[in-house]
Amino acid sequence: MNILKYIKSIKRGAVYCILLFIPLPYCHAVQGTIEEVSGKPMTLYFRFSQSLMDSGYMDNGRMLRHLDELLTDCNLCARIDSINIYSFASPDGNRTYNEQLARQRSITIKSYLTWKYPHLDQYRIHSHPQGENWKELRQLIISDKKLPYKKEVLQIIDCYKNSEQCKALLKKLHNGIPYRYIHDHLLHYLRNATICVAWIKPDTLPALPKAARIKFDSLKKESHRIPQFTSGTTERNISLSRLPGKTKRPLFALKTNLLFNIALMPNVEIEVPIGKRWSVNGEYMFPWWLLKDNRYCLEILSGGLEGRYWLGNSQNREQREVLTGHFVGLYAGGGKYDLQWKENGYQGEFFIAAGISYGWATRIARNLHLELNIGIGLLRTDYRHYHAQNNYQTLLWQENGNYTWFGPTKAKISLVWLLNRKVKKGDTK
């Protein structure tokens, strides 16, 4: 009997030991999860120019679940020393508005915490609105390998501490190409609020981190699914033409040569782009003056065509605005003329000029370009030489002749006005 009782007591003790140790792995797993969640700053993102929190936007759903795991435990919350909220706005638009927006985002997060977790001491929740997040923008620019003209962008950010001046220069840099890339691919990572928890026992749980780091690589895969929102106030002051989905393409360009205009020789040109690399330019010149009682005559009617090939590698041409950069061309043209200086004059019923050209064009305003162009080729004309008599009323023939010239045949400093049309992204018309 004593042996049977002894065996039963051993069995009973074994059962108690098993029941005692079963919860330990679970408790260790929960503690590890809590420490993993609590030891890292949690970042919540906001839509464009918004201060309302959206649980379905970017990585917010996962972060809110982690935050809930941490703050629903009342015993764990009792060990919290403080909760610090660092809120930011993207550095586009007006700085004053962006600072107000960052402040409102801090208020939103604090209000959410006090409503969702009433057991939290609201006096331990501190808001720290930071305004425009230039520091993180610089880190994103360094990390992004596809940003065009990255070196020049970083130089502007590092050299100009005035944010408004920095924004203006970035928008002008290379016709706004790098700024549009930054707006479309990077700025939405900067519209956020980061929640950092400081604990009573810093030796066992991590203290408040020095800076809120954004997990750029993990979110980059989702960026193509994130819609960009626009509205009408300050941070929204980005032209709709720069947003994804729509762009502007020149239908044609109207031009005038300023050198000829200074010489009282009115002229007009039309250039039609064909894709990114080709264009056709047509020109017409029509001065028709008789001055000072027929002492001076400047009568020219001429026209010409030029085919142009715009230089640069494929990537460069894809990023550049149409009808900007360097180009080479082939041109040909002709016309008639009557040129007289006091008694001597020359008439030609037809002249022809043809050759090769080189030029460069750049954007100087929204729809305005400046173009420089020089051509070298052959000019050929047959002419009649005459003298003016009887108070310049009679033209007395002197001789016929011809003239051939090889060398510079044109020089232009042209003002170009673009007539654009909006096209959807991917339109090949």
Side-chain angles (χ1 to χ4, degrees):
M1 293 296 294
N2 294 332
I3 294 176
L4 292 175
K5 290 182 179 180
Y6 181 71
I7 292 174
K8 288 181 179 180
S9 64
I10 292 176
K11 289 182 178 179
R12 191 180 297 113
V15 171
Y16 289 157
C17 289
I18 292 171
L19 293 175
L20 178 64
F21 283 98
I22 283 175
L24 290 180
Y26 173 77
C27 294
H28 178 74
V30 172
Q31 181 65 22
T33 302
I34 291 174
E35 288 186 2
E36 180 182 355
V37 172
S38 63
K40 299 178 181 178
M42 287 160 281
T43 302
L44 298 170
Y45 296 89
F46 294 86
R47 295 188 185 274
F48 185 85
S49 192
Q50 296 294 319
S51 59
L52 297 178
M53 187 173 57
D54 186 349
S55 60
Y57 184 63
M58 293 182 72
D59 205 33
N60 289 351
R62 184 174 66 87
M63 282 297 158
L64 288 174
R65 289 193 297 271
H66 286 187
L67 189 65
D68 194 65
E69 291 174 8
L70 176 65
L71 298 182
T72 50
D73 189 335
C74 296
N75 293 327
L76 188 61
C77 288
R79 297 167 56 192
I80 294 176
D81 177 73
S82 62
I83 297 177
N84 296 275
I85 303 169
Y86 295 87
S87 57
F88 302 88
S90 57
D92 52 343
N94 181 268
R95 180 178 180 178
T96 302
Y97 174 80
N98 291 338
E99 291 174 350
Q100 294 173 354
L101 186 61
R103 190 177 302 110
Q104 188 60 43
R105 287 170 177 171
S106 286
I107 295 173
T108 297
I109 298 299
K110 184 174 181 178
S111 300
Y112 172 82
L113 294 178
T114 55
W115 166 79
K116 181 76 172 178
Y117 310 103
H119 54 275
L120 285 176
D121 185 355
Q122 62 176 333
Y123 298 104
R124 293 181 182 270
I125 304 175
H126 308 292
S127 299
H128 304 281
Q130 303 295 305
E132 298 176 345
N133 197 351
W134 285 97
K135 183 177 181 181
E136 192 59 36
L137 175 60
R138 192 181 189 281
Q139 294 300 320
L140 293 179
I141 290 172
I142 293 174
S143 302
D144 194 297
K145 297 180 180 180
K146 295 182 179 180
L147 174 63
Y149 311 109
K150 181 191 295 187
K151 184 177 179 181
E152 297 174 41
V153 170
L154 291 173
Q155 286 177 347
I156 291 176
I157 293 176
D158 293 339
C159 294
Y160 294 90
K161 302 304 179 183
N162 184 296
S163 62
E164 299 302 321
Q165 186 178 9
C166 186
K167 294 173 195 176
L169 291 173
L170 288 176
K171 291 178 181 180
K172 292 180 180 179
L173 180 64
H174 293 289
N175 298 321
I177 291 172
Y179 181 82
R180 286 193 291 271
Y181 181 94
I182 291 172
H183 171 262
D184 294 341
H185 297 87
L186 302 182
L187 291 186
H188 52 276
Y189 295 112
L190 306 178
R191 302 161 187 148
N192 63 66
T194 299
I195 303 171
C196 302
V197 181
W199 300 87
I200 292 175
K201 297 180 180 179
D203 55 332
T204 57
L205 289 174
L208 176 67
K210 293 182 179 179
R213 300 287 297 173
I214 298 174
K215 297 180 179 179
F216 174 66
D217 295 333
S218 63
L219 294 176
K220 192 173 182 181
K221 298 178 182 178
E222 303 178 12
S223 62
H224 67 281
R225 300 197 299 269
I226 300 170
Q228 298 296 315
F229 290 81
T230 59
S231 243
T233 54
T234 317
E235 191 185 59
R236 321 159 196 186
N237 288 342
I238 298 176
S239 171
L240 290 176
S241 64
R242 298 186 176 184
L243 295 178
K246 287 187 178 181
T247 183
K248 286 185 177 181
R249 181 168 299 182
L251 188 61
F252 62 91
L254 288 177
K255 308 158 68 173
T256 185
N257 186 352
L258 300 179
L259 296 180
F260 285 175
N261 291 334
I262 293 173
L264 301 179
M265 301 169 66
N267 63 97
V268 65
E269 301 179 43
I270 296 179
E271 185 170 9
V272 179
I274 305 173
K276 289 281 187 178
R277 287 193 173 275
W278 295 92
S279 66
V280 176
N281 187 78
E283 60 183 58
Y284 181 59
M285 183 168 58
F286 48 93
W288 206 258
W289 313 119
L290 281 174
L291 306 173
K292 300 244 181 175
D293 298 326
N294 297 335
R295 292 185 181 184
Y296 306 99
C297 178
L298 177 61
E299 297 178 350
I300 302 175
L301 293 178
S302 70
L305 284 176
E306 179 180 6
R308 294 178 173 181
Y309 178 79
W310 295 82
L311 304 176
N313 56 45
S314 299
Q315 182 179 1
N316 180 272
R317 287 311 318 170
E318 192 65 28
Q319 294 172 351
R320 268 194 174 277
E321 186 178 358
V322 177
L323 301 182
T324 62
H326 298 267
F327 66 86
V328 293
L330 292 175
Y331 67 91
K336 65 178 183 178
Y337 59 90
D338 187 352
L339 305 175
Q340 177 187 331
W341 186 266
K342 295 184 178 179
E343 287 79 14
N344 288 311
Y346 294 87
Q347 290 182 349
E349 288 300 323
F350 185 75
F351 73 90
I352 186 171
I356 60 174
S357 65
Y358 170 79
W360 172 79
T362 186
R363 179 182 180 182
I364 58 175
R366 183 175 182 181
N367 291 321
L368 202 62
H369 290 184
L370 180 67
E371 179 186 301
L372 308 179
N373 186 12
I374 187 171
I376 297 177
L378 182 70
L379 183 146
R380 168 79 180 184
T381 181
D382 293 329
Y383 65 86
R384 295 192 297 271
H385 179 209
Y386 65 83
H387 281 183
Q389 295 181 347
N390 299 329
N391 199 23
Y392 304 99
Q393 299 301 312
T394 302
L395 304 181
L396 184 62
W397 173 83
Q398 299 294 310
E399 60 178 336
N400 289 345
N402 57 68
Y403 180 77
T404 303
W405 161 264
F406 181 80
T409 55
K410 69 173 179 177
K412 296 181 180 179
I413 300 177
S414 299
L415 206 58
V416 184
W417 181 49
L418 275 68
L419 281 82
N420 296 322
R421 64 185 177 98
K422 288 185 179 180
V423 297
K424 293 182 178 180
K425 191 174 182 180
D427 188 0
T428 57
K429 292 182 179 180

